[in-house]
Amino acid sequence: MKDVLETILHRRAIRRFDTARQIDEDALQKILQTGLYAPSAGGRQGPLFVVCQDAEVNARLGRIKRANSHPRMAAGGNYVSKDQPSIADDPTLTNAFYDAPTVITLFGPKNFLFAAEDCACAAENMMLAADALGIGSCYIGQGWPAFADPYGQKILRQWGIPAGYYAVMQLLLGYPRPGDRHPEPKPRREGRVLRF
């Protein structure tokens, strides 16, 4: 595995996946373990991780999420990514999960002030682990629109999600599409670190 500092500087959002290849189970277990060891407010360990590798379920939930998400489309040179367009950039993309072979939905307790932050910390740990293992990842915020219709509600019941939890976000995992170059980092904006 790469050095942690190198991994942090290397990691990028991947939105184009090798759809013919599922991630290795050993790698998935390592990624999940890093999420389980993420910091959480008060050490509560509140987030639930639901791993879905069913292509049909992921595709349908991804389409539902896309239909219920209305991001501002790219205009005037303002975009999320030129290398790998997002649903905010390209209205022709119909699956908010970009056909990723593994989708992890992170659920947080509704009545806890720091549920979203706890899920974000877990997702960051998992994204760094994925990058170190040669697996692409993409954090997709606002997880609940994927479940905003009867099919989504049925899936929540099938998964046994407690009523006191909500979908905070999804983490997409998969091997990058063969032949794609790794996205280049955007230049770092000046003036973001203030010292006194």
Side-chain angles (χ1 to χ4, degrees):
M1 289 180 63
K2 291 187 249 178
D3 172 87
V4 68
L5 296 177
E6 180 186 349
T7 300
I8 290 169
L9 298 179
H10 181 263
R11 188 217 56 80
R12 297 285 169 273
I14 301 298
R15 295 183 189 86
R16 292 195 296 228
F17 299 96
D18 182 349
T19 56
R21 186 175 174 206
Q22 185 54 266
I23 65 173
D24 300 326
E25 183 61 25
D26 183 57
L28 176 60
Q29 290 305 316
K30 288 175 181 172
I31 291 166
L32 289 168
Q33 184 178 32
T34 66
L36 293 171
Y37 275 83
S40 61
R44 290 171 55 117
Q45 303 178 46
L48 302 177
F49 310 135
V50 176
V51 179
C52 186
Q53 294 181 315
D54 183 318
E56 184 180 325
V57 171
N58 285 339
R60 192 155 175 192
L61 290 175
R63 287 192 303 270
I64 293 166
K65 182 175 174 91
R66 177 66 178 101
N68 288 296
S69 299
H70 303 287
R72 186 169 151 260
M73 295 302 162
N78 194 13
Y79 54 87
V80 173
S81 173
K82 283 185 181 178
D83 290 330
Q84 296 191 5
S86 78
I87 61 170
D89 300 321
D90 185 349
T92 67
L93 293 171
T94 59
N95 181 344
F97 300 158
Y98 306 104
D99 299 314
T102 298
V103 177
I104 302 174
T105 302
L106 282 81
F107 292 86
K110 291 178 181 176
N111 63 351
F112 185 54
L113 180 62
F114 302 112
E117 289 84 349
D118 286 354
C119 288
C121 285
E124 178 69 8
N125 272 17
M126 290 190 284
M127 288 186 290
L128 292 173
D131 188 80
L133 294 165
I135 295 169
S137 66
C138 188
Y139 178 111
I140 306 292
Q142 298 182 340
W144 57 89
F147 305 98
D149 82 348
Y151 178 79
Q153 293 298 302
K154 176 181 137 186
I155 292 297
L156 290 177
R157 288 190 298 276
Q158 285 179 355
W159 289 351
I161 303 303
Y165 277 74
Y166 74 105
V168 174
M169 48 82 60
Q170 280 88 20
L171 178 61
L172 314 181
L173 297 173
Y175 293 102
R177 193 169 70 179
D180 276 4
R181 63 181 180 79
H182 190 71
E184 292 293 323
K186 295 176 182 175
R188 300 296 96 179
R189 286 179 24 220
E190 295 291 328
R192 293 174 55 211
V193 177
L194 307 177
R195 294 186 64 169
F196 300 96

